[in-house]
Amino acid sequence: MSGKPKLHYFNGRGRMEPIRWLLAAAGVEFEESYLEKKDDLTKLRKDGSLLFQQVPMVEIDGMKMVQTRAILNYIATKYNLYGKDLKERALIDMYVEGMFDLNEQLMDYDYLPADKKEQHFANMMDKATNRYFPAFEKVLKDHGQDFLVGNQLSRADVQLLEIILMAEEFKPDILAKFPLLQSFKARISNVPAIKKFLQPGSQRKARERPENVPKVLAIFE
Amino acid sequence: MSGKPKLHYFNGRGRMEPIRWLLAAAGVEFEESFVEKKDDLTKLQKDGSLLFQQVPMVEIDGMKMVQSRAIANYIATKYNLYGKDLKERALIDMYVEGMFDLNEQLMSYNFQPADKKEQHFANVVDKATNRYFPVFEKVLKDHGQDFLVGNQLSRADVHLLDTILMAEEFKPDILAKFPLLQVNEWRVLMDNALERTTDLNWLRNRGEWEGEERSDIQNNQIC
């Protein structure tokens, strides 16, 4: 038993990616067990490992945790990435929930049928540039600090960097109108643990390849 | 300024309902400002009150909080409904997230087109009776305590009661196979509401299931 958290999911981003980012930012090494076919999911269900029959599931501190937000809340609190008091936590939660909404849209794109992609793309780019990024640009502008909340690194910064990089994969100049987010991106990318996670060969996952999509969908049908 | 939290949403359950429940369970009186037409939403958006241009929004403790989970987390922590330590919080979060998933499905029934309703109904009943309720029945059975986590009332119990009552509106005998959930429902209700009659009144009068009509606002997906 290694004592390291063990992540159960398919070998792709999906709902597990924010968890990988947060563990990495906290400097916590983790192992991964990949679901490759439906049988793998069935096996986990049958041995009672999945509270609601679903992944993500993370074995951590003697628990088999499920539900992305529950897992993230636990990791963020344990590793001090959740603000110093209730008010900071409220801000972090608001920002992070907005990021989850955008993340959902970015994540869904690669698994959509071809005829739905164009509309979805337009929608998510519109939300990113007119709803979400302006809100975070304004937060940084209003307090003039390096981090979103409480003048120190929190899960909000980690998750924002994650979605900025994902959005840029779709539209490389998506931060054109957001100078503070551009400098934020550079700054947070340089946090040592995060810089390490951004190196090739890390456990950060790549965008889904089209030829893999049917295989992934088959696991969950 | 009354000092009471003020809830901005349309006059219906939607994503505000868990928040109403939590405030009521905590014995906190609150005001509501209903968004009735698109102009009402536009006004809130224009005066910068909505961080992501969406409701729910709750004015509380000098903040204009948005995002239903952020709001619920804040209220639960402030009023001691979130467990006593990290491990209890982890359990509460896992259970509550499952409940929110089921709530989503219950709530979305009324927005299904007519030809999809029957399938959706079957799906929801299946998930409730085969995925979610068995889990909570087992939690109660395994520890034998009155409340889901930590032997005291938490948001997990409050959200579960909300979910159970909604599911029973769907299918009145949906708890037939879950004797412990049947008991738990009334224990929580009585245990806390007896001391706070306003809360009991609120529970009696709480919002009706949305009708077939959809307002413009719902169509524009304000939540």
Side-chain angles (χ1 to χ4, degrees):
Chain A
M1 242 183 19
S2 68
K4 292 182 195 174
K6 188 174 183 182
L7 280 48
H8 296 260
Y9 204 60
F10 68 92
N11 186 359
R13 289 176 180 173
R15 295 187 189 287
M16 189 62 99
E17 196 71 351
I19 293 167
R20 297 183 184 107
W21 269 87
L22 197 56
L23 285 168
V28 176
E29 286 185 24
F30 56 93
E31 294 175 353
E32 302 198 70
S33 171
Y34 298 124
L35 302 184
E36 280 163 357
K37 46 196 193 310
K38 189 148 176 68
D39 281 353
D40 297 333
L41 180 59
T42 307
K43 184 172 178 299
L44 276 176
R45 284 173 169 168
K46 284 196 171 154
D47 65 29
S49 293
L50 306 178
L51 187 65
F52 302 115
Q53 315 309 322
Q54 298 166 314
V55 286
M57 188 270 276
V58 174
E59 297 181 64
I60 183 169
D61 296 340
M63 298 179 286
K64 291 187 175 173
M65 286 198 75
V66 298
Q67 293 288 347
T68 312
R69 284 173 171 90
I71 298 164
L72 286 168
N73 287 356
Y74 182 81
I75 295 166
T77 306
K78 182 175 176 182
Y79 294 104
N80 248 312
L81 289 166
Y82 216 158
K84 67 177 193 299
D85 58 29
L86 182 54
K87 281 276 169 106
E88 285 191 0
R89 219 195 105 174
L91 291 175
I92 289 170
D93 277 344
M94 281 194 278
Y95 301 162
V96 161
E97 284 297 312
M99 293 173 205
F100 269 133
D101 286 349
L102 179 57
N103 190 49
E104 197 75 31
Q105 295 192 47
L106 294 170
M107 206 185 29
D108 281 350
Y109 179 84
D110 287 323
Y111 301 96
L112 290 171
D115 60 344
K116 300 237 150 119
K117 280 186 143 126
E118 195 178 336
Q119 180 59 48
H120 190 87
F121 183 91
N123 213 346
M124 70 191 196
M125 291 297 109
D126 171 57
K127 289 286 182 317
T129 49
N130 294 320
R131 175 173 289 186
Y132 295 107
F133 291 158
F136 303 124
E137 180 82 2
K138 182 177 192 298
V139 168
L140 292 172
K141 184 172 183 197
D142 286 352
H143 60 46
Q145 293 168 1
D146 286 353
F147 304 100
L148 281 168
V149 179
N151 215 5
Q152 64 180 16
L153 185 75
S154 78
R155 65 182 290 195
D157 306 296
V158 178
Q159 196 154 347
L160 181 55
L161 177 59
E162 181 191 357
I163 58 165
I164 283 173
L165 295 177
M166 279 174 71
E168 284 182 333
E169 285 170 346
F170 287 102
K171 190 173 187 296
D173 65 345
I174 202 166
L175 289 190
K177 294 190 212 165
F178 307 109
L180 295 177
L181 289 181
Q182 292 175 38
S183 51
F184 172 88
K185 174 192 157 188
R187 201 159 55 238
I188 304 302
S189 299
N190 266 312
V191 168
I194 294 175
K195 188 170 183 178
K196 190 173 167 201
F197 190 60
L198 291 171
Q199 303 297 324
S202 81
Q203 284 162 293
R204 186 180 171 218
K205 301 294 175 270
R207 236 182 103 179
E208 194 62 83
R209 291 199 308 265
E211 59 268 25
N212 268 347
V213 170
K215 188 183 128 183
V216 172
L217 293 176
I219 299 170
F220 295 104
E221 73 193 10
Chain B
M1 240 186 19
S2 67
K4 292 181 195 176
K6 188 172 182 181
L7 279 49
H8 297 260
Y9 201 60
F10 69 91
N11 187 0
R13 290 175 180 172
R15 296 191 188 287
M16 190 62 100
E17 198 72 349
I19 294 165
R20 297 184 183 107
W21 271 91
L22 271 180
L23 286 168
V28 177
E29 286 185 27
F30 55 91
E31 294 175 352
E32 302 199 70
S33 171
F34 296 123
V35 174
E36 278 160 357
K37 45 196 193 312
K38 188 139 176 65
D39 281 354
D40 297 332
L41 181 62
T42 308
K43 184 172 180 301
L44 280 173
Q45 288 167 335
K46 284 193 172 158
D47 66 28
S49 292
L50 308 178
L51 183 64
F52 302 118
Q53 315 310 323
Q54 297 165 314
V55 286
M57 187 272 276
V58 173
E59 298 181 63
I60 184 168
D61 296 341
M63 298 180 285
K64 289 186 177 177
M65 288 199 73
V66 297
Q67 291 290 345
S68 52
R69 282 176 172 88
I71 300 163
N73 287 356
Y74 181 80
I75 294 166
T77 306
K78 181 175 176 180
Y79 294 103
N80 248 313
L81 291 167
Y82 218 156
K84 69 176 194 296
D85 58 29
L86 184 54
K87 282 274 170 104
E88 285 190 0
R89 219 193 107 176
L91 291 174
I92 289 170
D93 277 343
M94 282 194 276
Y95 301 160
V96 166
E97 284 296 310
M99 291 169 203
F100 282 160
D101 285 350
L102 179 57
N103 279 358
E104 245 348 274
Q105 298 182 51
L106 287 164
M107 276 198 302
S108 72
Y109 175 79
N110 282 327
F111 300 104
Q112 300 296 317
D115 60 343
K116 298 235 152 120
K117 280 190 136 111
E118 194 179 332
Q119 182 57 51
H120 188 88
F121 183 91
N123 230 332
V124 171
V125 171
D126 173 56
K127 287 288 182 320
T129 51
N130 294 319
R131 176 173 287 189
Y132 295 107
F133 290 156
V135 169
F136 305 124
E137 180 82 5
K138 184 178 191 296
V139 167
L140 292 172
K141 184 173 182 198
D142 286 352
H143 61 44
Q145 293 168 359
D146 287 354
F147 302 103
L148 283 168
V149 179
N151 213 7
Q152 64 181 13
L153 184 75
S154 77
R155 66 182 292 195
D157 306 293
V158 177
H159 295 312
L160 180 57
L161 183 51
D162 178 14
T163 303
I164 281 174
L165 293 176
M166 278 204 288
E168 284 181 333
E169 284 171 354
F170 231 66
K171 190 176 188 291
D173 66 345
I174 204 166
L175 287 191
K177 295 191 207 168
F178 307 109
L180 294 178
L181 291 183
Q182 292 174 38
V183 176
N184 190 61
E185 174 179 338
W186 298 107
R187 274 177 176 162
V188 170
L189 193 81
M190 290 304 127
D191 195 279
N192 291 283
L194 279 174
E195 292 181 36
R196 304 185 202 101
T197 45
T198 49
D199 301 332
L200 193 53
N201 288 333
W202 178 82
L203 285 168
R204 284 197 196 107
N205 295 326
R206 75 193 209 290
E208 291 300 315
W209 216 203
E210 267 81 74
E212 294 287 328
E213 270 180 44
R214 306 181 198 195
S215 70
D216 279 341
I217 289 165
Q218 293 175 37
N219 277 336
N220 283 317
Q221 297 177 305
I222 56 169
C223 24

